[in-house]
Amino acid sequence: MSTRTRVARGVAALSIAGTVALTTPPASASADESLSRLTSFVVERLRVSDDVAAAKFGTTSPIDDPAREQQVLDQVRTQATALGLDADDAAAFFRDQITASKVVQRGLFARWTARPEEVPTTRPDLSLIRTRLDRLTSDLLGQLKSTEDLRAHRIPCRVHLAIATGSAAVLERLDALHREALGTAVHSVC
């Protein structure tokens, strides 16, 4: 995406934010904080994708693993139902997380293939990574639950989400690859 396109989108988001601010009651700070926490967990999950890529690069482990993906989505549906969340909405959100992880993995594979000197020197253990991902799944589901009311109101949610993701991209110093993945990962939030 070009700089001009990013600037235009940013201006549009700020314009929408201003319009929403003038036409809706002010949101509580807790709503902003909740979406920021949700976005922080999404970014943390994206960073774990770096480790997944490092574990798989140069091995026969595929980026696409439909059986594992289905297992994750089945677990998400079960946990979401237990929390009182819509299982289909939670599964859609986690499908986006999986897709975003693949964006990161494919991007890193391409980078490392083009620049072998950047290949990680250690190979993380996928079973330990999966433990981290399981914890993040619980954290993300908890944040989906805590933001349920806000997310039900599409336009205010989208404005707050744009602010939260923009802030996270800057504060976490995400590169272009991880910013792209972040956009994919939050697609189904609102």
Side-chain angles (χ1 to χ4, degrees), residues 83-115:
L83 288 171
L85 287 166
D86 182 278
D88 291 335
D89 289 347
F93 174 78
F94 276 90
R95 198 170 295 111
D96 291 344
Q97 303 315 299
I98 292 167
T99 301
S101 178
K102 291 178 189 181
V103 166
V104 171
Q105 290 177 60
R106 286 188 179 100
L108 290 175
F109 273 35
R111 182 182 301 166
W112 296 335
T113 299
R115 299 183 199 120

mmCIF file of all heavy atoms in Angstrom, residues 83-115:
data_model
loop_
_atom_site.group_PDB
_atom_site.id
_atom_site.type_symbol
_atom_site.label_atom_id
_atom_site.label_comp_id
_atom_site.label_asym_id
_atom_site.label_seq_id
_atom_site.Cartn_x
_atom_site.Cartn_y
_atom_site.Cartn_z
ATOM 1 N N LEU A 83 -18.109 -19.015 27.416
ATOM 2 C CA LEU A 83 -18.055 -17.619 27.860
ATOM 3 C C LEU A 83 -19.327 -16.845 27.529
ATOM 4 O O LEU A 83 -19.461 -15.687 27.911
ATOM 5 C CB LEU A 83 -16.867 -16.904 27.211
ATOM 6 C CG LEU A 83 -15.480 -17.275 27.706
ATOM 7 C CD1 LEU A 83 -14.415 -16.637 26.818
ATOM 8 C CD2 LEU A 83 -15.305 -16.813 29.155
ATOM 9 N N GLY A 84 -20.228 -17.462 26.781
ATOM 10 C CA GLY A 84 -21.444 -16.766 26.382
ATOM 11 C C GLY A 84 -21.257 -15.926 25.133
ATOM 12 O O GLY A 84 -22.063 -15.037 24.848
ATOM 13 N N LEU A 85 -20.200 -16.193 24.375
ATOM 14 C CA LEU A 85 -19.957 -15.494 23.111
ATOM 15 C C LEU A 85 -20.579 -16.280 21.968
ATOM 16 O O LEU A 85 -20.722 -17.506 22.053
ATOM 17 C CB LEU A 85 -18.450 -15.370 22.851
ATOM 18 C CG LEU A 85 -17.671 -14.389 23.694
ATOM 19 C CD1 LEU A 85 -16.172 -14.644 23.546
ATOM 20 C CD2 LEU A 85 -18.012 -12.963 23.278
ATOM 21 N N ASP A 86 -20.897 -15.604 20.891
ATOM 22 C CA ASP A 86 -21.366 -16.270 19.690
ATOM 23 C C ASP A 86 -20.205 -17.072 19.110
ATOM 24 O O ASP A 86 -19.157 -16.507 18.769
ATOM 25 C CB ASP A 86 -21.873 -15.232 18.687
ATOM 26 C CG ASP A 86 -22.416 -15.892 17.436
ATOM 27 O OD1 ASP A 86 -21.593 -16.238 16.559
ATOM 28 O OD2 ASP A 86 -23.643 -16.046 17.335
ATOM 29 N N ALA A 87 -20.382 -18.380 19.001
ATOM 30 C CA ALA A 87 -19.306 -19.265 18.549
ATOM 31 C C ALA A 87 -18.889 -18.967 17.115
ATOM 32 O O ALA A 87 -17.701 -19.034 16.790
ATOM 33 C CB ALA A 87 -19.733 -20.723 18.690
ATOM 34 N N ASP A 88 -19.845 -18.617 16.254
ATOM 35 C CA ASP A 88 -19.514 -18.316 14.861
ATOM 36 C C ASP A 88 -18.693 -17.027 14.753
ATOM 37 O O ASP A 88 -17.746 -16.962 13.977
ATOM 38 C CB ASP A 88 -20.776 -18.195 13.998
ATOM 39 C CG ASP A 88 -21.483 -19.529 13.820
ATOM 40 O OD1 ASP A 88 -20.813 -20.584 13.923
ATOM 41 O OD2 ASP A 88 -22.706 -19.520 13.582
ATOM 42 N N ASP A 89 -19.071 -16.018 15.529
ATOM 43 C CA ASP A 89 -18.301 -14.761 15.516
ATOM 44 C C ASP A 89 -16.883 -14.980 16.039
ATOM 45 O O ASP A 89 -15.917 -14.461 15.482
ATOM 46 C CB ASP A 89 -18.993 -13.693 16.368
ATOM 47 C CG ASP A 89 -20.276 -13.165 15.739
ATOM 48 O OD1 ASP A 89 -20.515 -13.424 14.535
ATOM 49 O OD2 ASP A 89 -21.049 -12.497 16.457
ATOM 50 N N ALA A 90 -16.769 -15.752 17.106
ATOM 51 C CA ALA A 90 -15.435 -16.033 17.669
ATOM 52 C C ALA A 90 -14.596 -16.818 16.672
ATOM 53 O O ALA A 90 -13.410 -16.525 16.486
ATOM 54 C CB ALA A 90 -15.574 -16.802 18.985
ATOM 55 N N ALA A 91 -15.206 -17.786 16.002
ATOM 56 C CA ALA A 91 -14.467 -18.570 15.016
ATOM 57 C C ALA A 91 -14.029 -17.684 13.846
ATOM 58 O O ALA A 91 -12.905 -17.836 13.347
ATOM 59 C CB ALA A 91 -15.319 -19.734 14.522
ATOM 60 N N ALA A 92 -14.874 -16.759 13.421
ATOM 61 C CA ALA A 92 -14.498 -15.837 12.331
ATOM 62 C C ALA A 92 -13.303 -14.986 12.755
ATOM 63 O O ALA A 92 -12.365 -14.784 11.975
ATOM 64 C CB ALA A 92 -15.682 -14.956 11.943
ATOM 65 N N PHE A 93 -13.324 -14.484 13.985
ATOM 66 C CA PHE A 93 -12.212 -13.689 14.501
ATOM 67 C C PHE A 93 -10.927 -14.516 14.512
ATOM 68 O O PHE A 93 -9.868 -14.044 14.085
ATOM 69 C CB PHE A 93 -12.541 -13.177 15.910
ATOM 70 C CG PHE A 93 -11.403 -12.478 16.586
ATOM 71 C CD1 PHE A 93 -11.068 -11.178 16.266
ATOM 72 C CD2 PHE A 93 -10.647 -13.135 17.555
ATOM 73 C CE1 PHE A 93 -9.997 -10.533 16.892
ATOM 74 C CE2 PHE A 93 -9.590 -12.505 18.187
ATOM 75 C CZ PHE A 93 -9.270 -11.195 17.853
ATOM 76 N N PHE A 94 -11.001 -15.753 14.972
ATOM 77 C CA PHE A 94 -9.802 -16.590 15.033
ATOM 78 C C PHE A 94 -9.370 -17.089 13.661
ATOM 79 O O PHE A 94 -8.191 -17.316 13.435
ATOM 80 C CB PHE A 94 -9.968 -17.723 16.045
ATOM 81 C CG PHE A 94 -9.637 -17.252 17.432
ATOM 82 C CD1 PHE A 94 -10.618 -16.726 18.243
ATOM 83 C CD2 PHE A 94 -8.335 -17.274 17.897
ATOM 84 C CE1 PHE A 94 -10.315 -16.236 19.507
ATOM 85 C CE2 PHE A 94 -8.017 -16.792 19.156
ATOM 86 C CZ PHE A 94 -9.014 -16.268 19.967
ATOM 87 N N ARG A 95 -10.302 -17.212 12.743
ATOM 88 C CA ARG A 95 -9.908 -17.522 11.366
ATOM 89 C C ARG A 95 -9.044 -16.375 10.840
ATOM 90 O O ARG A 95 -8.047 -16.604 10.156
ATOM 91 C CB ARG A 95 -11.155 -17.727 10.500
ATOM 92 C CG ARG A 95 -10.880 -18.448 9.215
ATOM 93 C CD ARG A 95 -12.148 -18.864 8.478
ATOM 94 N NE ARG A 95 -12.920 -19.861 9.236
ATOM 95 C CZ ARG A 95 -14.108 -19.628 9.801
ATOM 96 N NH1 ARG A 95 -14.683 -18.465 9.706
ATOM 97 N NH2 ARG A 95 -14.736 -20.576 10.452
ATOM 98 N N ASP A 96 -9.418 -15.144 11.199
ATOM 99 C CA ASP A 96 -8.604 -13.979 10.825
ATOM 100 C C ASP A 96 -7.229 -14.029 11.485
ATOM 101 O O ASP A 96 -6.225 -13.647 10.876
ATOM 102 C CB ASP A 96 -9.303 -12.671 11.194
ATOM 103 C CG ASP A 96 -10.526 -12.386 10.347
ATOM 104 O OD1 ASP A 96 -10.699 -13.001 9.278
ATOM 105 O OD2 ASP A 96 -11.330 -11.517 10.768
ATOM 106 N N GLN A 97 -7.155 -14.518 12.730
ATOM 107 C CA GLN A 97 -5.863 -14.632 13.408
ATOM 108 C C GLN A 97 -4.974 -15.629 12.680
ATOM 109 O O GLN A 97 -3.773 -15.400 12.488
ATOM 110 C CB GLN A 97 -6.033 -15.071 14.870
ATOM 111 C CG GLN A 97 -6.925 -14.189 15.725
ATOM 112 C CD GLN A 97 -6.657 -12.720 15.559
ATOM 113 O OE1 GLN A 97 -5.563 -12.242 15.830
ATOM 114 N NE2 GLN A 97 -7.654 -11.992 15.081
ATOM 115 N N ILE A 98 -5.565 -16.728 12.265
ATOM 116 C CA ILE A 98 -4.819 -17.759 11.545
ATOM 117 C C ILE A 98 -4.333 -17.217 10.202
ATOM 118 O O ILE A 98 -3.176 -17.409 9.823
ATOM 119 C CB ILE A 98 -5.685 -19.028 11.377
ATOM 120 C CG1 ILE A 98 -5.911 -19.692 12.744
ATOM 121 C CG2 ILE A 98 -5.059 -19.994 10.376
ATOM 122 C CD1 ILE A 98 -6.991 -20.769 12.761
ATOM 123 N N THR A 99 -5.221 -16.522 9.497
ATOM 124 C CA THR A 99 -4.840 -15.938 8.207
ATOM 125 C C THR A 99 -3.721 -14.920 8.391
ATOM 126 O O THR A 99 -2.762 -14.887 7.614
ATOM 127 C CB THR A 99 -6.066 -15.290 7.527
ATOM 128 O OG1 THR A 99 -7.073 -16.298 7.346
ATOM 129 C CG2 THR A 99 -5.707 -14.673 6.189
ATOM 130 N N ALA A 100 -3.824 -14.088 9.426
ATOM 131 C CA ALA A 100 -2.791 -13.088 9.695
ATOM 132 C C ALA A 100 -1.454 -13.752 10.014
ATOM 133 O O ALA A 100 -0.398 -13.284 9.574
ATOM 134 C CB ALA A 100 -3.222 -12.180 10.850
ATOM 135 N N SER A 101 -1.499 -14.850 10.754
ATOM 136 C CA SER A 101 -0.270 -15.588 11.060
ATOM 137 C C SER A 101 0.377 -16.104 9.780
ATOM 138 O O SER A 101 1.599 -16.060 9.618
ATOM 139 C CB SER A 101 -0.580 -16.749 12.007
ATOM 140 O OG SER A 101 0.595 -17.485 12.274
ATOM 141 N N LYS A 102 -0.434 -16.562 8.852
ATOM 142 C CA LYS A 102 0.091 -17.046 7.573
ATOM 143 C C LYS A 102 0.694 -15.904 6.758
ATOM 144 O O LYS A 102 1.701 -16.098 6.070
ATOM 145 C CB LYS A 102 -1.013 -17.737 6.769
ATOM 146 C CG LYS A 102 -1.470 -19.033 7.366
ATOM 147 C CD LYS A 102 -2.590 -19.596 6.495
ATOM 148 C CE LYS A 102 -3.271 -20.762 7.107
ATOM 149 N NZ LYS A 102 -4.324 -21.298 6.222
ATOM 150 N N VAL A 103 0.095 -14.712 6.854
ATOM 151 C CA VAL A 103 0.670 -13.539 6.175
ATOM 152 C C VAL A 103 2.084 -13.307 6.689
ATOM 153 O O VAL A 103 3.026 -13.104 5.917
ATOM 154 C CB VAL A 103 -0.215 -12.282 6.387
ATOM 155 C CG1 VAL A 103 0.512 -11.002 5.990
ATOM 156 C CG2 VAL A 103 -1.533 -12.416 5.617
ATOM 157 N N VAL A 104 2.242 -13.342 8.019
ATOM 158 C CA VAL A 104 3.561 -13.139 8.624
ATOM 159 C C VAL A 104 4.515 -14.257 8.209
ATOM 160 O O VAL A 104 5.650 -13.997 7.791
ATOM 161 C CB VAL A 104 3.460 -13.045 10.167
ATOM 162 C CG1 VAL A 104 4.842 -13.067 10.811
ATOM 163 C CG2 VAL A 104 2.695 -11.784 10.571
ATOM 164 N N GLN A 105 4.074 -15.493 8.319
ATOM 165 C CA GLN A 105 4.953 -16.617 7.984
ATOM 166 C C GLN A 105 5.414 -16.559 6.528
ATOM 167 O O GLN A 105 6.608 -16.704 6.246
ATOM 168 C CB GLN A 105 4.238 -17.944 8.255
ATOM 169 C CG GLN A 105 4.026 -18.230 9.740
ATOM 170 C CD GLN A 105 3.249 -19.502 9.962
ATOM 171 O OE1 GLN A 105 3.693 -20.569 9.537
ATOM 172 N NE2 GLN A 105 2.092 -19.395 10.595
ATOM 173 N N ARG A 106 4.465 -16.321 5.619
ATOM 174 C CA ARG A 106 4.843 -16.256 4.201
ATOM 175 C C ARG A 106 5.795 -15.085 3.936
ATOM 176 O O ARG A 106 6.749 -15.209 3.167
ATOM 177 C CB ARG A 106 3.596 -16.142 3.327
ATOM 178 C CG ARG A 106 2.836 -17.442 3.236
ATOM 179 C CD ARG A 106 1.701 -17.391 2.207
ATOM 180 N NE ARG A 106 1.038 -18.673 2.177
ATOM 181 C CZ ARG A 106 -0.113 -18.942 2.789
ATOM 182 N NH1 ARG A 106 -0.746 -17.994 3.461
ATOM 183 N NH2 ARG A 106 -0.632 -20.147 2.716
ATOM 184 N N GLY A 107 5.511 -13.955 4.567
ATOM 185 C CA GLY A 107 6.379 -12.788 4.401
ATOM 186 C C GLY A 107 7.784 -13.045 4.913
ATOM 187 O O GLY A 107 8.772 -12.676 4.270
ATOM 188 N N LEU A 108 7.876 -13.682 6.083
ATOM 189 C CA LEU A 108 9.201 -13.989 6.635
ATOM 190 C C LEU A 108 9.919 -15.050 5.814
ATOM 191 O O LEU A 108 11.130 -14.949 5.588
ATOM 192 C CB LEU A 108 9.085 -14.404 8.104
ATOM 193 C CG LEU A 108 8.694 -13.280 9.064
ATOM 194 C CD1 LEU A 108 8.485 -13.829 10.475
ATOM 195 C CD2 LEU A 108 9.718 -12.162 9.059
ATOM 196 N N PHE A 109 9.193 -16.052 5.342
ATOM 197 C CA PHE A 109 9.816 -17.063 4.477
ATOM 198 C C PHE A 109 10.413 -16.392 3.244
ATOM 199 O O PHE A 109 11.544 -16.692 2.850
ATOM 200 C CB PHE A 109 8.788 -18.113 4.052
ATOM 201 C CG PHE A 109 8.609 -19.259 5.011
ATOM 202 C CD1 PHE A 109 8.695 -19.090 6.381
ATOM 203 C CD2 PHE A 109 8.329 -20.520 4.527
ATOM 204 C CE1 PHE A 109 8.510 -20.152 7.254
ATOM 205 C CE2 PHE A 109 8.145 -21.596 5.388
ATOM 206 C CZ PHE A 109 8.240 -21.414 6.750
ATOM 207 N N ALA A 110 9.656 -15.478 2.630
ATOM 208 C CA ALA A 110 10.157 -14.779 1.438
ATOM 209 C C ALA A 110 11.379 -13.931 1.789
ATOM 210 O O ALA A 110 12.373 -13.916 1.044
ATOM 211 C CB ALA A 110 9.050 -13.902 0.845
ATOM 212 N N ARG A 111 11.325 -13.240 2.919
ATOM 213 C CA ARG A 111 12.445 -12.388 3.353
ATOM 214 C C ARG A 111 13.690 -13.235 3.598
ATOM 215 O O ARG A 111 14.788 -12.899 3.160
ATOM 216 C CB ARG A 111 12.056 -11.621 4.617
ATOM 217 C CG ARG A 111 13.141 -10.664 5.112
ATOM 218 C CD ARG A 111 12.745 -9.954 6.395
ATOM 219 N NE ARG A 111 11.529 -9.184 6.213
ATOM 220 C CZ ARG A 111 10.807 -8.692 7.218
ATOM 221 N NH1 ARG A 111 11.188 -8.883 8.473
ATOM 222 N NH2 ARG A 111 9.716 -8.001 6.980
ATOM 223 N N TRP A 112 13.521 -14.341 4.319
ATOM 224 C CA TRP A 112 14.666 -15.181 4.660
ATOM 225 C C TRP A 112 15.236 -15.900 3.446
ATOM 226 O O TRP A 112 16.440 -16.157 3.382
ATOM 227 C CB TRP A 112 14.289 -16.167 5.754
ATOM 228 C CG TRP A 112 13.920 -15.497 7.053
ATOM 229 C CD1 TRP A 112 14.314 -14.257 7.497
ATOM 230 C CD2 TRP A 112 13.075 -16.025 8.069
ATOM 231 N NE1 TRP A 112 13.764 -13.986 8.725
ATOM 232 C CE2 TRP A 112 12.996 -15.057 9.108
ATOM 233 C CE3 TRP A 112 12.371 -17.212 8.213
ATOM 234 C CZ2 TRP A 112 12.249 -15.256 10.265
ATOM 235 C CZ3 TRP A 112 11.622 -17.408 9.369
ATOM 236 C CH2 TRP A 112 11.568 -16.442 10.387
ATOM 237 N N THR A 113 14.368 -16.209 2.500
ATOM 238 C CA THR A 113 14.857 -16.839 1.263
ATOM 239 C C THR A 113 15.689 -15.842 0.470
ATOM 240 O O THR A 113 16.744 -16.187 -0.071
ATOM 241 C CB THR A 113 13.668 -17.351 0.420
ATOM 242 O OG1 THR A 113 12.951 -18.325 1.195
ATOM 243 C CG2 THR A 113 14.139 -17.977 -0.880
ATOM 244 N N ALA A 114 15.235 -14.593 0.440
ATOM 245 C CA ALA A 114 15.964 -13.546 -0.290
ATOM 246 C C ALA A 114 17.211 -13.086 0.454
ATOM 247 O O ALA A 114 18.198 -12.672 -0.171
ATOM 248 C CB ALA A 114 15.046 -12.351 -0.541
ATOM 249 N N ARG A 115 17.175 -13.146 1.788
ATOM 250 C CA ARG A 115 18.296 -12.679 2.611
ATOM 251 C C ARG A 115 18.669 -13.756 3.638
ATOM 252 O O ARG A 115 18.315 -13.648 4.819
ATOM 253 C CB ARG A 115 17.904 -11.394 3.333
ATOM 254 C CG ARG A 115 17.555 -10.258 2.409
ATOM 255 C CD ARG A 115 17.245 -8.999 3.225
ATOM 256 N NE ARG A 115 16.507 -8.071 2.405
ATOM 257 C CZ ARG A 115 15.290 -7.611 2.683
ATOM 258 N NH1 ARG A 115 14.688 -7.963 3.796
ATOM 259 N NH2 ARG A 115 14.686 -6.774 1.874
#
